[in-house]
Amino acid sequence: MTKVTVRDIVRKFQSFAPESLALGKDPVGLHFGFLDQEIHKVLLTLDVRPEVVQEAIAKDCDMILAHHPPIFKAPKRLTEDDPQQAMYAELIRHGIAVYAAHTNLDAAWGGMNDWLAEAYDIVDTEVLYSYQEDKNYRIKVYLPKENLADYQAAIFGAGYAQVGNYDQVSFTSKGQGHFRPLDQANPSIGSVQEETAVDEVVFSFLVSQSELSAALDLARDLHPYEEAVIDVVSLANKGQVLGIGRVGQLKTPMPFRDYVHLVKERTGVDALRAVVWNWDQEVERVAVLGGSGADEYPYAIAKDADVYITADVSYHTGHDMIANRLNVIDPGHHMESICKDKLAQVLVTWIEEEDWPLAYASSQLNTDPFTFVY
């Protein structure tokens, strides 16, 4: 590939953390830039703040990949007397694209909450708060039989057609395709205004709803015909449960007072808050929800968690947690800064898979607005 565009990066992100996973009106997606914009260097960050934009400029980055969207509420006017709107102007002035993956990254398997679960030694996880089911679809592609082997290899190589513990799950049937190219056509087989019959195969494979958009794009790109013939069938099979937060077993059970220190160390904060029901409780099962998840604590109780890890716990909610005999650890919203290094790992994989001439940098700035005073 000679160049990388915003569209290329968004397409890969859609296959990893589809925007359809986002909660409610969460403004995920492209906030600045345009899809066909060429990208040379990406800055990975938790927040898009004025100092982060200056960092991107200093590092010659023409795209920012962020967890928190820079625009939560659309401004009614743009004046640079306002620091936030001045930041928007800087992004536009320097041609920096910004893409944000928020609750879709929280919900994605292998995303934010799986990273946090791994960091805090939580294993054998399941979804904490489910709100969506990943439906299954069958994609049926009609193509000349001589193209089948290469086509299959590309689809399988992209990781599609997996069912449970099996990969390369597909079905192929033989038939004959008929068509007549019109005057405006540029057929790869046959001639304009002549009826053509081709020995074809129907190659079909399963994808999940979260894979569907990217899989269809690839299926069309790979197809030898000018007009690809592809059917999509929605299946009644139950799909994978999707949602935010994870709950599972603590790798090595320990008293709550010890686990608090483990979380503090793994998060890398100077201090954290704990809502303590019982310091000596043996911790075996833990729930985690990155970001502001205090209101979701009843899901942790329903899933039999001994401890709930989340951020931004309020005074009265803390009292309710104690009344419900739940120990809670609040490392702060900045716990999600784990995304910078993890997104770098994801991006490196894409660069290698796609042979992208793309550089990247992880933001070195601490955008946590809170400072602990001892």
Side-chain angles (χ1 to χ4, degrees), residues 359-372:
Y360 69 93
S362 294
S363 174
Q364 298 303 302
L365 299 177
N366 183 344
T367 53
D368 191 348
F370 299 106
T371 298
F372 291 97

Side-chain angles (χ1 to χ4, degrees), residues 27-235:
V28 301
L30 189 63
H31 281 234
F32 294 89
F34 56 98
L35 289 174
D36 290 327
Q37 180 177 346
E38 187 172 352
I39 300 300
H40 303 92
K41 189 174 183 180
V42 178
L43 182 70
L44 307 165
T45 184
L46 173 62
D47 301 300
V48 183
R49 305 300 307 149
E51 60 270 28
V52 174
V53 173
Q54 292 307 313
E55 181 184 23
I57 295 169
K59 293 181 176 179
D60 293 323
C61 295
D62 39 23
M63 185 172 187
I64 295 175
L65 274 178
H67 182 47
H68 293 143
I71 305 176
F72 274 102
K73 294 182 179 179
K76 294 182 179 179
R77 49 180 67 86
L78 290 172
T79 60
E80 293 192 50
D81 293 325
D82 179 279
Q84 184 74 10
Q85 294 177 28
M87 182 189 79
Y88 299 159
E90 278 286 86
L91 288 165
I92 295 170
R93 191 176 290 123
H94 287 85
I96 299 174
V98 180
Y99 184 84
H102 192 209
T103 51
N104 54 320
L105 183 60
D106 290 336
W109 285 108
M112 177 65 75
N113 283 290
D114 290 304
W115 298 334
L116 292 169
E118 179 184 17
Y120 301 142
D121 282 355
I122 308 167
V123 297
D124 300 328
T125 58
E126 59 181 287
V127 171
L128 176 65
Y129 164 41
S130 60
Y131 54 84
Q132 198 175 126
E133 187 178 280
D134 205 5
K135 291 178 61 179
N136 290 313
Y137 293 83
R138 179 173 292 280
I139 296 178
K140 302 172 69 176
V141 185
Y142 301 76
L143 71 163
K145 63 180 183 180
E146 59 267 23
N147 295 100
L148 177 61
D150 290 342
Y151 199 92
Q152 282 180 319
I155 293 294
F156 297 154
Y160 300 120
Q162 293 193 14
V163 179
N165 295 322
Y166 296 82
D167 66 359
Q168 302 187 17
V169 179
S170 63
F171 183 81
T172 305
S173 58
K174 297 179 181 180
Q176 192 172 67
H178 298 265
F179 53 85
R180 186 177 68 173
L182 300 178
D183 291 338
Q184 296 80 15
N186 183 26
S188 58
I189 297 176
S191 302
V192 170
Q193 294 296 346
E194 290 186 5
E195 293 186 12
T196 303
V198 181
D199 289 332
E200 293 185 335
V201 293
V202 182
F203 168 57
S204 70
F205 59 98
L206 293 179
V207 296
S208 64
Q209 182 173 336
S210 58
E211 296 173 323
L212 180 61
S213 177
L216 279 174
D217 284 344
L218 179 61
R220 294 188 189 100
D221 290 346
L222 293 170
H223 206 286
Y225 287 169
E226 182 180 23
E227 298 290 346
V229 182
I230 300 173
D231 294 338
V232 179
V233 182
S234 177
L235 303 179

Side-chain angles (χ1 to χ4, degrees), residues 201-346:
V201 293
V202 182
F203 168 57
S204 70
F205 59 98
L206 293 179
V207 296
S208 64
Q209 182 173 336
S210 58
E211 296 173 323
L212 180 61
S213 177
L216 279 174
D217 284 344
L218 179 61
R220 294 188 189 100
D221 290 346
L222 293 170
H223 206 286
Y225 287 169
E226 182 180 23
E227 298 290 346
V229 182
I230 300 173
D231 294 338
V232 179
V233 182
S234 177
L235 303 179
N237 311 46
K238 282 196 172 183
Q240 188 178 48
V241 172
L242 301 169
I244 56 175
R246 299 291 184 262
V247 59
Q249 301 304 118
L250 186 60
K251 190 181 297 183
T252 303
M254 64 184 72
F256 179 62
R257 66 174 69 251
D258 294 337
Y259 190 53
V260 168
H261 289 286
L262 183 149
V263 172
K264 176 178 177 291
E265 178 186 344
R266 299 288 176 82
T267 308
V269 293
D270 295 329
L272 50 67
R273 300 190 304 161
V275 178
V276 183
W277 167 67
N278 180 358
W279 277 116
D280 297 315
Q281 181 187 22
E282 187 76 359
V283 179
E284 296 182 353
R285 189 164 172 80
V286 183
V288 61
L289 200 166
S292 302
D295 290 342
E296 281 71 40
Y297 81 88
Y299 293 101
I301 295 173
K303 296 281 189 176
D304 297 320
D306 303 314
V307 173
Y308 182 38
I309 305 171
T310 195
D312 305 335
V313 177
S314 66
Y315 183 87
H316 295 292
T317 301
H319 276 296
D320 293 340
M321 290 167 167
I322 292 173
N324 281 279
R325 303 161 69 90
L326 180 67
N327 281 323
V328 179
I329 302 173
D330 182 346
H333 206 120
H334 201 252
M335 66 196 289
E336 293 184 313
S337 63
I338 192 174
C339 74
K340 291 189 285 188
D341 289 340
K342 293 296 186 179
L343 283 174
Q345 295 173 16
V346 172

